[in-house]
Amino acid sequence: MNKKFDNILDNKWWQEIAVVVFSFTIYTLKNDWMLFSSFTSISMGVFFYLVLYMHAQFNRFFLLPILFKTQRPVTYIILTLFGVFVFSVVLYEITMLDIFSNCHLYQNSHQRSYAYQLASVLGTLVCILSPIIVFKFYRIHRKKTDETLLFNEMQLNSLKGQLNPHFLFNTFNTLYGISLEFPERTPDLIMKVSQLMRYQLESNSKKCVSLEDELEFINSYVQLEKERVGYRCEITYDCKIDNENAYKVSPMLLIAFIENAFKHGTCAIEKCYVRIIITVENGLLHLHVVNSIPTKKTDVVSTKIGLKNTIERLNLIYGKNYKLEIQDGNKNTYIVDLKLQLKKFVE
């Protein structure tokens, strides 16, 4: 229903019809048409309206461009006042013709005066031009909004296209590390990785997924990392959600922060830790990730694509409706704190 109504609003012909109906209704009410019983008087009334409508269209197509395109408001005002004067004189002279003497178009004598014709021309001009200008700016705003949405969608698809290979690269690095130390566990781990890859591929074409599916994906990834470095690294994963099925989230949005914690927080032989806390209360998601920064760490290949793209996605999807704090000033810890308001899965 809403889509059909939007299509009507976007159609220029329906807009023109709406303007004519609106202005004609105001014109008939102003001239007390309910008192008219003569076909001749009604015909004359329609003729007068057409003259007023022609004047408004003349202003629309020949004078308004001076205001909007050349940005000369003073010139537009002067020409508009001149046009109102000319058309009001024309209407006044028409009312003086003999053909109108036997017509009951005007109920009172003052309605034949020049001042009344001047007010009619000016009032009808405002009644016709006002909705036309409103519709014009509505179309311009709608066009810009559609272009912005299309551009944002193209950007999001581009960022997803960069993020997915990045995640794949990191996951295979994890699998490689485990296979070197525990080759007998490699088949089971390959199965777990394949499940992660399946979720990644299936969610790639979706704008949103259920929070439950996203958290299950994160949990599987954390379990995979525990297999790799759990024997030498303290890994804590705590998740408290008031209702997992009630919310939706953009896929692969949180994983970059968790990947980054494991990638840089576990790159040394010495004791290290990664702590992940995810809570959702009344739709407010709070992700808190803390990882140690080893004093002696091995070189880690980092393109920083994951974090950069995730932050850009947050900006595109949530605008200013999220809060992200990254604390890396401390030499021993790296902290990521993200808060964002989730949308309901069924709205």
Side-chain angles (χ1 to χ4, degrees):
M1 185 66 182
N2 290 336
K3 186 176 181 180
K4 186 176 181 180
F5 183 72
D6 289 339
N7 291 334
I8 293 176
L9 282 179
D10 291 335
N11 190 294
K12 295 180 66 174
W13 289 108
W14 281 112
Q15 292 176 2
E16 292 293 333
I17 293 173
V19 170
V20 171
V21 171
F22 171 74
S23 58
F24 191 70
T25 302
I26 298 297
Y27 174 75
T28 55
L29 292 176
K30 175 181 71 68
N31 286 297
D32 300 325
W33 272 50
M34 296 304 294
L35 301 176
F36 289 178
S37 58
S38 169
F39 176 78
T40 303
S41 62
I42 294 177
S43 301
M44 291 303 173
V46 173
F47 171 76
F48 266 72
Y49 171 78
L50 291 176
V51 173
L52 295 170
Y53 184 77
M54 287 174 56
H55 166 248
Q57 295 300 323
F58 173 82
N59 188 292
R60 173 187 180 182
F61 290 106
F62 294 98
L63 301 186
L64 270 181
I66 297 175
L67 175 63
F68 291 120
K69 293 183 178 180
T70 62
Q71 303 294 320
R72 292 186 292 172
V74 176
T75 303
Y76 170 75
I77 293 174
I78 293 174
L79 292 177
T80 297
L81 292 177
F82 178 75
V84 170
F85 170 76
V86 171
F87 271 84
S88 60
V89 170
V90 171
L91 284 180
Y92 176 73
E93 293 299 329
I94 291 176
T95 58
M96 294 296 103
L97 297 177
D98 293 338
I99 191 174
F100 287 96
S101 60
N102 298 323
C103 174
H104 299 287
L105 178 63
Y106 296 115
Q107 303 298 318
N108 301 308
S109 59
H110 77 274
Q111 292 178 319
R112 295 178 180 271
S113 65
Y114 172 73
Y116 183 84
Q117 302 305 328
L118 179 65
S120 295
V121 173
L122 189 58
T124 308
L125 177 65
V126 172
C127 288
I128 294 177
L129 284 189
S130 296
I132 286 176
I133 293 174
V134 169
F135 281 129
K136 180 180 178 66
F137 279 101
Y138 168 79
R139 290 195 299 269
I140 293 174
H141 175 73
R142 183 66 179 266
K143 183 179 179 181
K144 289 183 177 179
T145 301
D146 291 342
E147 289 176 350
T148 301
L149 290 175
L150 180 61
F151 179 72
N152 288 347
E153 187 173 351
M154 291 173 61
Q155 280 188 301
L156 284 172
N157 290 335
S158 176
L159 292 173
K160 280 185 179 180
Q162 297 176 38
L163 186 62
N164 291 338
H166 176 268
F167 174 76
L168 187 65
F169 173 77
N170 286 344
T171 303
F172 277 118
N173 271 347
T174 298
L175 184 61
Y176 173 73
I178 296 175
S179 65
L180 290 178
E181 299 185 30
F182 310 101
E184 70 281 0
R185 291 157 56 188
T186 302
D188 292 337
L189 294 176
I190 290 177
M191 183 59 67
K192 290 183 179 180
V193 170
S194 68
Q195 293 173 352
L196 294 176
M197 294 300 101
R198 179 183 293 276
Y199 174 81
Q200 181 208 22
L201 291 174
E202 291 178 349
S203 64
N204 187 42
S205 60
K206 301 177 181 178
K207 291 184 178 180
C208 292
V209 295
S210 69
L211 181 62
E212 180 183 17
D213 291 342
E214 187 71 7
L215 293 179
E216 185 178 345
F217 168 75
I218 291 174
N219 181 65
S220 297
Y221 180 80
V222 172
Q223 296 306 317
L224 183 65
E225 289 291 351
K226 283 184 177 181
E227 294 283 350
R228 181 174 70 93
V229 296
Y231 69 97
R232 62 177 176 84
C233 181
E234 177 193 343
I235 300 175
T236 304
Y237 176 63
D238 187 20
C239 184
K240 295 180 181 179
I241 313 298
D242 54 7
N243 190 348
E244 294 180 353
N245 295 316
Y247 307 109
K248 58 184 178 180
V249 65
S250 182
M252 307 287 291
L253 188 65
L254 308 176
I255 191 64
F257 300 112
I258 297 171
E259 274 187 290
N260 187 71
F262 282 106
K263 186 175 183 179
H264 297 279
T266 63
C267 58
I269 303 299
E270 63 196 65
K271 187 170 179 61
C272 52
Y273 61 86
V274 174
R275 296 165 187 160
I276 305 165
I277 302 175
I278 301 177
T279 60
V280 176
E281 186 175 354
N282 297 324
L284 180 64
L285 183 144
H286 184 194
L287 171 67
H288 187 75
V289 182
V290 182
N291 64 267
S292 58
I293 301 178
T295 53
K296 296 180 180 180
K297 58 182 180 179
T298 57
D299 293 334
V300 177
V301 178
S302 177
T303 60
K304 297 184 178 180
I305 290 177
L307 282 179
K308 179 182 177 183
N309 286 4
T310 300
I311 292 173
E312 289 185 19
R313 288 179 66 198
L314 284 168
N315 289 330
L316 288 171
I317 298 171
Y318 295 97
K320 297 181 179 179
N321 298 322
Y322 79 94
K323 184 178 180 181
L324 175 63
E325 294 182 358
I326 298 178
Q327 301 176 23
D328 56 354
N330 193 321
K331 294 182 179 181
N332 299 321
T333 58
Y334 186 91
I335 303 173
V336 173
D337 196 83
L338 172 66
K339 294 180 181 179
L340 58 88
Q341 188 69 39
L342 298 175
K343 294 182 178 180
K344 294 280 185 159
F345 196 80
V346 179
E347 290 185 332

